[in-house]
Amino acid sequence: MIINRQIMEMEDVDNILLYIVKNARELLHANFVGMALIADNSNRLELKCFSAEAATEIVYSQINIHTPMLLETLQSARSYCSAGTETLEQIENITCHLGGQPNSFGIVRLELDNRPIGILWTTRMDQLQYTETDLIWLECLADQVVIAIQHGLMTSQLQSLRSEEHTSE
């Protein structure tokens, strides 16, 4: 798989995350895919990257996620596929002002060492609803996000160890 090859070649984690969200949008026929991470060991979520029809980008400014349905999924430890019964308040700003009001969405939690680190979600504006199969695909992509993050953490730790070795010589 291309993602695994990029990880093995130690490509930049941000580029891998962009690749994942862009391909998630294409695979799931989505209008928007977002990835948010928990900030500062709290329950505050910040948008890390997204893919919309106009752009696929890393977010460098702080964009906090306040959408109740996204926060509930982070807390509940289970994936969520829209049922069409959600209120506007539950999904308010689910596309972070980067897309239109969705008709359907799927949300999965990102976990590292059995602890939540963020969420990955996708939205669709057409009438086609997401299915449990779509949610399984999104969960697989979430696993790839976590692998990329783990790779980045390990690379950072190795670089720190190398720096310590050089300074001790």
Side-chain angles (χ1 to χ4, degrees):
M1 181 169 231
I2 293 174
I3 296 169
N4 292 337
R5 187 170 359 100
Q6 288 176 323
I7 291 171
M8 292 301 293
E9 294 172 1
M10 299 184 80
E11 288 193 22
D12 183 41
V13 174
D14 286 348
N15 288 334
I16 296 168
L17 296 176
L18 289 173
Y19 180 85
I20 293 169
V21 296
K22 180 177 187 266
N23 283 287
R25 188 173 59 80
E26 293 170 3
L27 173 70
L28 297 169
H29 307 286
N31 296 97
F32 177 87
V33 173
M35 187 199 57
L37 298 175
I38 296 175
D40 306 325
N41 294 324
S42 68
N43 285 334
R44 186 170 51 89
L45 277 173
E46 289 183 10
L47 186 64
K48 170 68 177 167
C49 62
F50 70 91
S51 183
E53 292 176 15
T56 298
E57 297 178 7
I58 294 292
V59 177
Y60 294 104
S61 59
Q62 182 178 326
I63 299 177
N64 291 324
I65 304 297
H66 300 289
T67 306
M69 191 59 66
L70 297 177
L71 298 173
E72 288 171 26
T73 302
L74 177 68
Q75 297 302 320
S76 71
R78 63 181 182 272
S79 300
Y80 186 85
C81 192
S82 60
T85 59
E86 298 82 12
T87 65
L88 289 177
E89 291 79 26
Q90 287 177 299
I91 61 171
E92 181 180 2
N93 199 22
I94 196 167
T95 61
C96 306
H97 299 293
L98 298 166
Q101 187 66 31
N103 181 51
S104 180
F105 58 91
I107 312 165
V108 297
R109 188 164 100 155
L110 302 172
E111 292 185 4
L112 180 62
D113 298 328
N114 294 320
R115 292 187 312 195
I117 60 168
I119 56 171
L120 179 68
W121 76 100
T122 181
T123 70
R124 221 183 245 157
M125 290 189 300
D126 62 22
Q127 295 302 311
L128 187 61
Q129 293 291 312
Y130 281 111
T131 65
E132 290 300 317
T133 301
D134 293 324
L135 208 53
I136 290 168
W137 280 113
L138 191 59
E139 289 168 348
C140 291
L141 292 162
D143 290 342
Q144 294 297 315
V145 167
V146 172
I147 289 168
I149 291 170
Q150 285 175 315
H151 168 73
L153 292 171
M154 288 187 294
T155 300
S156 176
Q157 289 170 348
L158 285 174
Q159 289 172 345
S160 293
L161 288 173
R162 285 186 191 144
S163 295
E164 289 174 17
E165 284 179 1
H166 287 299
T167 56
S168 66
E169 289 178 356

